[in-house]
């Protein structure tokens, strides 16, 4: 397809017809722009396109309403001091050490200490089973909330 050669006589007529139809549209932003005789054609066209949405409004186009005078934006909130890391129920900590450390220790025995005494291996296995049993028995029996809490 070859580019069309500009035809001065028909292009000007088409352009004038288009401008006349746009100016005759009632109630549009172009009516406001055409009321001012000092505006150039370019300013009128920019006024038309400035007031037209280029894309539909989306969720990121939301603006915060300015009438919320009682809302401080969370500026006065200070989170509570977190508990120290080393503080916990000693039995629970010991049970977790047995439940998590038992298999790791048995794996290390299998890799590095093949001739470990049977009593040591059974002791580690008993510590693992006791830790798991303690943690399972400490689980709550029923839920005391509706599940809406995080």
């Amino acid at each position: 397809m070859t580019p069309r050669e500009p035809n001065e006589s028909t292009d000007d007529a088409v352009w004038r017809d288009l401008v006349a139809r746009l100016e005759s549209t009632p109630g549009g932003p172009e009516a406001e722009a055409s009321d001012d005789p000092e505006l150039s054609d370019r300013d009128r066209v920019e006024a038309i396109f400035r007031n037209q949405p280029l894309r539909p409004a989306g969720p990121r186009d939301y603006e915060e309403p300015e009438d919320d005078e009682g809302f401080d934006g969370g500026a006065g909130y200070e989170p509570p001091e977190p508990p120290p890391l080393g503080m916990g129920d000693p039995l629970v900590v010991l049970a977790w050490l047995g439940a998590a450390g038992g298999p790791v220790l048995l794996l290390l025995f299998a890799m590095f200490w093949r001739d470990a005494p049977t009593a040591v291996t059974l002791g580690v296995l008993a510590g693992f089973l006791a830790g798991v049993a303690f943690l399972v028995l400490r689980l709550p029996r029923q839920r005391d909330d509706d599940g809406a809490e995080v």
Side-chain angles (χ1 to χ4, degrees):
M1 182 173 211
T2 62
R4 184 175 72 88
E5 292 293 323
N7 185 348
E8 296 294 326
S9 62
T10 58
D11 287 346
D12 286 340
V14 170
W15 177 254
R16 275 188 243 116
D17 178 51
L18 177 65
V19 170
R21 282 187 287 154
L22 285 175
E23 287 178 349
S24 67
T25 306
E30 60 277 353
E32 295 172 9
S34 64
D35 292 342
D36 190 0
E38 297 175 5
L39 290 177
S40 67
D41 288 339
R42 179 168 178 79
D43 293 337
R44 287 183 181 148
V45 171
E46 284 179 3
I48 291 171
F49 286 107
R50 236 190 338 253
N51 293 324
Q52 298 295 321
L54 298 178
R55 59 181 171 78
R60 294 184 182 203
D61 297 327
Y62 175 76
E63 292 183 14
E64 187 75 28
E66 306 240 351
D67 60 348
D68 292 340
E69 293 159 9
F71 180 68
D72 63 351
Y77 174 74
E78 286 190 32
E81 188 71 27
L85 290 177
M87 304 305 286
D89 187 11
L91 287 176
V92 174
V93 173
L94 190 61
W96 274 109
L97 281 175
V104 171
L105 201 55
L106 287 174
L107 180 68
L108 290 175
F109 284 172
M111 289 181 2
F112 299 114
W113 194 20
R114 295 243 172 178
D115 56 347
T118 306
V120 173
T121 305
L122 290 177
V124 170
L125 185 61
F128 165 72
L129 292 175
V132 169
F134 181 79
L135 290 174
V136 168
L137 290 175
R138 272 193 62 133
L139 286 174
R141 302 273 185 244
Q142 69 235 2
R143 294 184 71 157
D144 58 349
D145 62 351
D146 61 355
E149 297 177 21
V150 178

